[in-house]
Amino acid sequence: MTDALAASLRAQFTEELEKVRFASSTVTQDPERFGVAPEDAARHARFSVATAEVHLALLEDTVIPHLGAGGAAGRTAEYQLRLLAAPYVEHNDYPHDQG
C-alpha cells in the first residue's frame, strides 16, 4: 500500500502546488478585486506556494527514497508518509483498499 499511497500523495501535492500557484498569481495581479491589500496578497502568495513546495519536497526528497528500506529508516519513512497522507484519508483517490 505504501507505493500506491506515495503515488496518490505525489499527485495530490503536485495538483495542490499548481492550484496554489494559479490562485496566488490571480490574487496578486489584482488584489483589490478580492478585497486584499497588495502586500498581504503577496505575503500570502509566497507563504502558500512555499508551503505547497515544501510538502512536495519533503515527500520526494526525504520520504519516498526511504520507503521499503529496512530498519529504522524504512519505518520512519512509512510513518512520515502516513502522517503526510492523514489529511487526505477522505479524498476519493486515497488508496484504502490497495495492498
Side-chain angles (χ1 to χ4, degrees), residues 36-57:
V36 180
E39 60 276 1
D40 291 339
R43 185 174 29 258
H44 183 71
R46 286 190 304 272
F47 175 80
S48 297
V49 170
T51 299
E53 288 174 341
V54 165
H55 286 155
L56 189 56

Side-chain angles (χ1 to χ4, degrees), residues 2 9-10 16 27 33-34 46 49 59 73-74 87 93 96 99:
T2 57
L9 202 53
R10 177 187 283 133
E16 286 180 9
V27 173
R33 176 178 168 208
F34 299 96
R46 286 190 304 272
V49 170
L59 178 68
D93 294 332
H96 290 287

Side-chain angles (χ1 to χ4, degrees), residues 12-71:
Q12 186 68 33
F13 285 173
T14 300
E15 180 181 335
E16 286 180 9
L17 178 56
E18 291 172 9
K19 286 179 180 179
V20 165
R21 284 181 175 156
F22 176 78
S24 295
S25 174
T26 301
V27 173
T28 55
Q29 287 178 14
D30 191 8
E32 293 81 17
R33 176 178 168 208
F34 299 96
V36 180
E39 60 276 1
D40 291 339
R43 185 174 29 258
H44 183 71
R46 286 190 304 272
F47 175 80
S48 297
V49 170
T51 299
E53 288 174 341
V54 165
H55 286 155
L56 189 56
L58 179 63
L59 178 68
E60 293 287 352
D61 298 343
T62 67
V63 175
I64 290 176
H66 301 286
L67 288 174

